[in-house]
Short mmCIF file of all heavy atoms in Angstrom, two decimals:
data_model
loop_
_atom_site.label_atom_id
_atom_site.label_comp_id
_atom_site.label_asym_id
_atom_site.label_seq_id
_atom_site.Cartn_x
_atom_site.Cartn_y
_atom_site.Cartn_z
N LYS F 30 -9.74 -7.22 31.45
CA LYS F 30 -10.16 -6.70 30.14
C LYS F 30 -9.97 -7.73 29.02
O LYS F 30 -10.49 -7.56 27.92
CB LYS F 30 -9.43 -5.40 29.82
CG LYS F 30 -8.02 -5.53 29.35
CD LYS F 30 -7.51 -4.14 28.91
CE LYS F 30 -6.14 -4.25 28.25
NZ LYS F 30 -5.69 -2.92 27.75
N TYR F 31 -9.27 -8.82 29.32
CA TYR F 31 -9.09 -9.89 28.33
C TYR F 31 -10.12 -11.00 28.47
O TYR F 31 -10.43 -11.67 27.48
CB TYR F 31 -7.67 -10.48 28.45
CG TYR F 31 -6.59 -9.50 28.09
CD1 TYR F 31 -6.02 -8.68 29.06
CD2 TYR F 31 -6.16 -9.36 26.77
CE1 TYR F 31 -5.05 -7.76 28.73
CE2 TYR F 31 -5.19 -8.43 26.43
CZ TYR F 31 -4.63 -7.63 27.41
OH TYR F 31 -3.67 -6.71 27.08
N HIS F 32 -10.64 -11.22 29.70
CA HIS F 32 -11.62 -12.30 29.84
C HIS F 32 -13.06 -11.80 29.98
O HIS F 32 -14.00 -12.52 29.66
CB HIS F 32 -11.27 -13.22 31.01
CG HIS F 32 -11.13 -12.56 32.35
ND1 HIS F 32 -12.16 -11.92 32.99
CD2 HIS F 32 -10.05 -12.47 33.19
CE1 HIS F 32 -11.74 -11.47 34.16
NE2 HIS F 32 -10.47 -11.77 34.31
N GLY F 33 -13.25 -10.56 30.45
CA GLY F 33 -14.59 -9.99 30.52
C GLY F 33 -15.54 -10.69 31.46
O GLY F 33 -16.76 -10.63 31.29
N LEU F 34 -15.01 -11.38 32.48
CA LEU F 34 -15.84 -12.14 33.40
C LEU F 34 -16.18 -11.32 34.65
O LEU F 34 -15.53 -10.33 34.95
CB LEU F 34 -15.14 -13.44 33.80
CG LEU F 34 -14.77 -14.38 32.64
CD1 LEU F 34 -14.03 -15.60 33.16
CD2 LEU F 34 -16.00 -14.79 31.85
N SER F 35 -17.21 -11.78 35.38
CA SER F 35 -17.70 -11.06 36.56
C SER F 35 -17.12 -11.65 37.84
O SER F 35 -16.42 -12.67 37.82
CB SER F 35 -19.22 -11.13 36.62
OG SER F 35 -19.63 -12.47 36.92
N ASN F 36 -17.45 -11.03 38.96
CA ASN F 36 -17.00 -11.53 40.25
C ASN F 36 -17.58 -12.91 40.57
O ASN F 36 -16.98 -13.67 41.33
CB ASN F 36 -17.37 -10.55 41.36
CG ASN F 36 -16.54 -9.28 41.31
OD1 ASN F 36 -15.51 -9.23 40.64
ND2 ASN F 36 -16.99 -8.24 42.00
N ARG F 37 -18.75 -13.22 40.00
CA ARG F 37 -19.33 -14.55 40.23
C ARG F 37 -18.44 -15.62 39.61
O ARG F 37 -18.23 -16.68 40.21
CB ARG F 37 -20.74 -14.62 39.63
CG ARG F 37 -21.49 -15.92 39.94
CD ARG F 37 -21.80 -16.05 41.41
NE ARG F 37 -22.50 -17.29 41.72
CZ ARG F 37 -22.96 -17.61 42.92
NH1 ARG F 37 -22.78 -16.79 43.95
NH2 ARG F 37 -23.60 -18.75 43.13
N GLU F 38 -17.90 -15.35 38.41
CA GLU F 38 -17.00 -16.32 37.78
C GLU F 38 -15.68 -16.41 38.56
O GLU F 38 -15.07 -17.48 38.61
CB GLU F 38 -16.72 -15.93 36.33
CG GLU F 38 -17.82 -16.30 35.36
CD GLU F 38 -18.97 -15.30 35.35
OE1 GLU F 38 -18.71 -14.08 35.43
OE2 GLU F 38 -20.13 -15.73 35.26
N ARG F 39 -15.27 -15.30 39.15
CA ARG F 39 -14.06 -15.35 39.99
C ARG F 39 -14.29 -16.27 41.18
O ARG F 39 -13.38 -17.02 41.59
CB ARG F 39 -13.68 -13.95 40.48
CG ARG F 39 -12.39 -13.92 41.31
CD ARG F 39 -12.02 -12.52 41.72
NE ARG F 39 -13.01 -11.95 42.62
CZ ARG F 39 -13.00 -10.68 43.03
NH1 ARG F 39 -12.05 -9.85 42.61
NH2 ARG F 39 -13.94 -10.23 43.84
N LEU F 40 -15.49 -16.23 41.76
CA LEU F 40 -15.83 -17.13 42.86
C LEU F 40 -15.75 -18.59 42.40
O LEU F 40 -15.20 -19.44 43.13
CB LEU F 40 -17.24 -16.82 43.37
CG LEU F 40 -17.81 -17.77 44.43
CD1 LEU F 40 -17.00 -17.67 45.72
CD2 LEU F 40 -19.27 -17.45 44.70
N LEU F 41 -16.27 -18.90 41.22
CA LEU F 41 -16.20 -20.26 40.70
C LEU F 41 -14.75 -20.69 40.49
O LEU F 41 -14.38 -21.84 40.74
CB LEU F 41 -16.98 -20.38 39.39
CG LEU F 41 -18.48 -20.05 39.44
CD1 LEU F 41 -19.12 -20.28 38.08
CD2 LEU F 41 -19.19 -20.86 40.51
N LEU F 42 -13.91 -19.76 40.04
CA LEU F 42 -12.48 -20.04 39.87
C LEU F 42 -11.84 -20.37 41.21
O LEU F 42 -11.04 -21.31 41.33
CB LEU F 42 -11.79 -18.84 39.22
CG LEU F 42 -10.26 -18.91 39.11
CD1 LEU F 42 -9.85 -20.05 38.17
CD2 LEU F 42 -9.71 -17.58 38.60
N GLN F 43 -12.18 -19.59 42.24
CA GLN F 43 -11.63 -19.86 43.57
C GLN F 43 -12.01 -21.24 44.07
O GLN F 43 -11.20 -21.97 44.64
CB GLN F 43 -12.12 -18.80 44.56
CG GLN F 43 -11.47 -17.43 44.38
CD GLN F 43 -12.02 -16.43 45.39
OE1 GLN F 43 -12.91 -15.64 45.08
NE2 GLN F 43 -11.50 -16.47 46.61
N ILE F 44 -13.28 -21.62 43.85
CA ILE F 44 -13.73 -22.94 44.30
C ILE F 44 -12.99 -24.03 43.54
O ILE F 44 -12.58 -25.04 44.13
CB ILE F 44 -15.26 -23.06 44.11
CG1 ILE F 44 -15.98 -22.06 45.02
CG2 ILE F 44 -15.73 -24.48 44.43
CD1 ILE F 44 -17.46 -21.92 44.73
N ALA F 45 -12.78 -23.83 42.23
CA ALA F 45 -12.03 -24.81 41.44
C ALA F 45 -10.60 -24.94 41.95
O ALA F 45 -10.05 -26.05 42.03
CB ALA F 45 -12.05 -24.41 39.96
N ALA F 46 -9.99 -23.81 42.32
CA ALA F 46 -8.63 -23.84 42.85
C ALA F 46 -8.58 -24.59 44.18
O ALA F 46 -7.67 -25.38 44.43
CB ALA F 46 -8.11 -22.42 43.02
N ILE F 47 -9.57 -24.35 45.02
CA ILE F 47 -9.62 -25.01 46.33
C ILE F 47 -9.78 -26.52 46.19
O ILE F 47 -9.19 -27.30 46.95
CB ILE F 47 -10.78 -24.42 47.17
CG1 ILE F 47 -10.48 -22.96 47.54
CG2 ILE F 47 -11.02 -25.25 48.44
CD1 ILE F 47 -11.68 -22.20 48.08
N LEU F 48 -10.56 -26.95 45.19
CA LEU F 48 -10.92 -28.37 45.06
C LEU F 48 -10.14 -29.09 43.97
O LEU F 48 -10.40 -30.28 43.72
CB LEU F 48 -12.42 -28.49 44.77
CG LEU F 48 -13.37 -27.95 45.84
CD1 LEU F 48 -14.82 -28.06 45.37
CD2 LEU F 48 -13.19 -28.70 47.16
N HIS F 49 -9.18 -28.44 43.35
CA HIS F 49 -8.54 -29.04 42.16
C HIS F 49 -7.82 -30.35 42.44
O HIS F 49 -7.64 -31.17 41.55
CB HIS F 49 -7.59 -28.03 41.51
CG HIS F 49 -6.26 -27.90 42.18
ND1 HIS F 49 -6.05 -27.08 43.26
CD2 HIS F 49 -5.06 -28.50 41.93
CE1 HIS F 49 -4.79 -27.15 43.65
NE2 HIS F 49 -4.17 -28.02 42.86
N ALA F 50 -7.43 -30.59 43.68
CA ALA F 50 -6.68 -31.82 44.00
C ALA F 50 -7.49 -32.83 44.82
O ALA F 50 -6.93 -33.82 45.28
CB ALA F 50 -5.40 -31.45 44.75
N CYS F 51 -8.79 -32.60 44.98
CA CYS F 51 -9.57 -33.48 45.86
C CYS F 51 -9.66 -34.91 45.32
O CYS F 51 -9.86 -35.85 46.08
CB CYS F 51 -10.96 -32.90 46.12
SG CYS F 51 -12.07 -32.89 44.68
N GLY F 52 -9.49 -35.10 44.02
CA GLY F 52 -9.59 -36.43 43.43
C GLY F 52 -8.46 -37.37 43.83
O GLY F 52 -8.59 -38.59 43.72
N LYS F 53 -7.35 -36.81 44.32
CA LYS F 53 -6.22 -37.65 44.75
C LYS F 53 -6.59 -38.49 45.96
O LYS F 53 -5.92 -39.48 46.25
CB LYS F 53 -5.02 -36.77 45.08
CG LYS F 53 -4.41 -36.10 43.85
CD LYS F 53 -3.20 -35.27 44.20
CE LYS F 53 -2.60 -34.62 42.95
NZ LYS F 53 -1.42 -33.79 43.28
N PHE F 54 -7.64 -38.09 46.65
CA PHE F 54 -8.11 -38.88 47.80
C PHE F 54 -8.54 -40.27 47.35
O PHE F 54 -8.40 -41.25 48.09
CB PHE F 54 -9.29 -38.15 48.45
CG PHE F 54 -9.85 -38.82 49.67
CD1 PHE F 54 -9.26 -38.61 50.92
CD2 PHE F 54 -10.95 -39.66 49.60
CE1 PHE F 54 -9.77 -39.22 52.06
CE2 PHE F 54 -11.47 -40.28 50.72
CZ PHE F 54 -10.87 -40.06 51.96
N VAL F 55 -9.03 -40.37 46.11
CA VAL F 55 -9.49 -41.64 45.56
C VAL F 55 -8.37 -42.35 44.81
O VAL F 55 -8.10 -43.53 45.02
CB VAL F 55 -10.70 -41.44 44.63
CG1 VAL F 55 -11.17 -42.76 44.04
CG2 VAL F 55 -11.84 -40.75 45.37
N SER F 56 -7.72 -41.61 43.91
CA SER F 56 -6.65 -42.20 43.10
C SER F 56 -5.76 -41.08 42.57
O SER F 56 -6.25 -40.12 41.97
CB SER F 56 -7.23 -43.00 41.93
OG SER F 56 -6.23 -43.35 41.02
N ILE F 57 -4.46 -41.22 42.77
CA ILE F 57 -3.52 -40.20 42.31
C ILE F 57 -3.41 -40.20 40.79
O ILE F 57 -3.26 -39.16 40.16
CB ILE F 57 -2.14 -40.41 42.97
CG1 ILE F 57 -2.25 -40.18 44.48
CG2 ILE F 57 -1.10 -39.48 42.37
CD1 ILE F 57 -0.99 -40.48 45.25
N THR F 58 -3.52 -41.38 40.19
CA THR F 58 -3.31 -41.48 38.74
C THR F 58 -4.46 -40.92 37.92
O THR F 58 -4.28 -40.52 36.78
CB THR F 58 -3.07 -42.95 38.32
OG1 THR F 58 -4.17 -43.75 38.77
CG2 THR F 58 -1.77 -43.47 38.92
N LYS F 59 -5.66 -40.92 38.46
CA LYS F 59 -6.82 -40.38 37.74
C LYS F 59 -7.48 -39.28 38.57
O LYS F 59 -8.69 -39.22 38.72
CB LYS F 59 -7.83 -41.48 37.44
CG LYS F 59 -7.30 -42.55 36.48
CD LYS F 59 -8.38 -43.57 36.18
CE LYS F 59 -7.87 -44.62 35.18
NZ LYS F 59 -8.90 -45.63 34.87
N SER F 60 -6.65 -38.40 39.08
CA SER F 60 -7.12 -37.43 40.08
C SER F 60 -8.17 -36.46 39.54
O SER F 60 -9.17 -36.18 40.21
CB SER F 60 -5.95 -36.64 40.66
OG SER F 60 -5.29 -35.90 39.65
N THR F 61 -7.98 -35.94 38.33
CA THR F 61 -8.93 -34.93 37.84
C THR F 61 -10.28 -35.56 37.49
O THR F 61 -11.33 -34.94 37.67
CB THR F 61 -8.38 -34.18 36.62
OG1 THR F 61 -8.04 -35.12 35.59
CG2 THR F 61 -7.14 -33.39 36.98
N GLU F 62 -10.25 -36.80 36.99
CA GLU F 62 -11.51 -37.48 36.69
C GLU F 62 -12.26 -37.78 37.98
O GLU F 62 -13.49 -37.61 38.07
CB GLU F 62 -11.23 -38.78 35.93
CG GLU F 62 -12.41 -39.32 35.17
CD GLU F 62 -12.91 -38.39 34.08
OE1 GLU F 62 -12.08 -37.80 33.36
OE2 GLU F 62 -14.14 -38.23 33.98
N ASN F 63 -11.52 -38.20 39.00
CA ASN F 63 -12.14 -38.46 40.30
C ASN F 63 -12.66 -37.17 40.93
O ASN F 63 -13.73 -37.15 41.55
CB ASN F 63 -11.12 -39.11 41.25
CG ASN F 63 -10.72 -40.50 40.79
OD1 ASN F 63 -11.52 -41.22 40.23
ND2 ASN F 63 -9.46 -40.86 41.00
N ALA F 64 -11.89 -36.09 40.78
CA ALA F 64 -12.31 -34.79 41.32
C ALA F 64 -13.61 -34.34 40.67
O ALA F 64 -14.51 -33.81 41.35
CB ALA F 64 -11.22 -33.75 41.10
N TYR F 65 -13.73 -34.55 39.35
CA TYR F 65 -14.96 -34.21 38.65
C TYR F 65 -16.15 -34.94 39.27
O TYR F 65 -17.20 -34.33 39.55
CB TYR F 65 -14.84 -34.57 37.16
CG TYR F 65 -16.12 -34.39 36.38
CD1 TYR F 65 -16.43 -33.17 35.79
CD2 TYR F 65 -17.03 -35.44 36.26
CE1 TYR F 65 -17.62 -33.00 35.09
CE2 TYR F 65 -18.22 -35.27 35.56
CZ TYR F 65 -18.51 -34.05 34.98
OH TYR F 65 -19.69 -33.89 34.31
N GLN F 66 -16.00 -36.23 39.51
CA GLN F 66 -17.08 -37.04 40.08
C GLN F 66 -17.41 -36.59 41.50
O GLN F 66 -18.59 -36.53 41.89
CB GLN F 66 -16.69 -38.52 40.07
CG GLN F 66 -16.46 -39.10 38.68
CD GLN F 66 -17.71 -39.09 37.82
OE1 GLN F 66 -18.84 -39.05 38.32
NE2 GLN F 66 -17.53 -39.12 36.50
N ILE F 67 -16.40 -36.30 42.30
CA ILE F 67 -16.62 -35.85 43.68
C ILE F 67 -17.41 -34.55 43.70
O ILE F 67 -18.38 -34.39 44.44
CB ILE F 67 -15.28 -35.68 44.42
CG1 ILE F 67 -14.66 -37.06 44.72
CG2 ILE F 67 -15.46 -34.90 45.72
CD1 ILE F 67 -13.25 -36.99 45.27
N ILE F 68 -16.99 -33.59 42.88
CA ILE F 68 -17.65 -32.28 42.86
C ILE F 68 -19.09 -32.41 42.37
O ILE F 68 -20.01 -31.81 42.94
CB ILE F 68 -16.86 -31.29 41.97
CG1 ILE F 68 -15.49 -30.99 42.62
CG2 ILE F 68 -17.64 -29.98 41.77
CD1 ILE F 68 -14.51 -30.30 41.70
N MET F 69 -19.31 -33.23 41.36
CA MET F 69 -20.67 -33.40 40.83
C MET F 69 -21.57 -34.14 41.81
O MET F 69 -22.79 -33.99 41.78
CB MET F 69 -20.63 -34.14 39.49
CG MET F 69 -20.07 -33.32 38.34
SD MET F 69 -20.91 -31.73 38.12
CE MET F 69 -22.57 -32.26 37.77
N ALA F 70 -20.98 -34.92 42.70
CA ALA F 70 -21.77 -35.68 43.67
C ALA F 70 -21.98 -34.94 44.98
O ALA F 70 -22.69 -35.42 45.86
CB ALA F 70 -21.08 -37.03 43.96
N THR F 71 -21.39 -33.75 45.09
CA THR F 71 -21.44 -33.00 46.36
C THR F 71 -22.12 -31.65 46.15
O THR F 71 -21.66 -30.85 45.32
CB THR F 71 -20.02 -32.77 46.91
OG1 THR F 71 -19.33 -34.02 46.97
CG2 THR F 71 -20.08 -32.15 48.30
N GLU F 72 -23.18 -31.39 46.88
CA GLU F 72 -23.80 -30.07 46.80
C GLU F 72 -22.93 -29.05 47.50
O GLU F 72 -22.46 -29.28 48.62
CB GLU F 72 -25.19 -30.10 47.45
CG GLU F 72 -26.23 -30.79 46.60
CD GLU F 72 -27.64 -30.53 47.11
OE1 GLU F 72 -27.78 -30.20 48.30
OE2 GLU F 72 -28.57 -30.66 46.31
#
């Protein structure tokens, strides 16, 4: 009742949680920036 989001947004949240640390595969110090690039480059 505070965020007003749908189940589709919950799915996106789950995917973000699953992939939040994937950027450490490239570099631990810039993990979130690397994760952004990995996700954007992967269908």
Side-chain angles (χ1 to χ4, degrees):
K30 78 173 188 176
Y31 294 90
H32 57 63
L34 302 178
S35 69
N36 289 345
R37 186 66 180 184
E38 281 81 39
R39 183 178 65 187
L40 174 65
L41 300 183
L42 174 65
Q43 287 179 262
I44 296 169
I47 292 166
L48 299 176
H49 79 276
C51 69
K53 291 181 179 179
F54 182 84
V55 179
S56 169
I57 294 175
T58 56
K59 295 183 178 180
S60 62
T61 56
E62 200 62 42
N63 293 326
Y65 173 89
Q66 298 296 338
I67 288 172
I68 294 166
M69 289 306 298
T71 308
E72 285 193 338

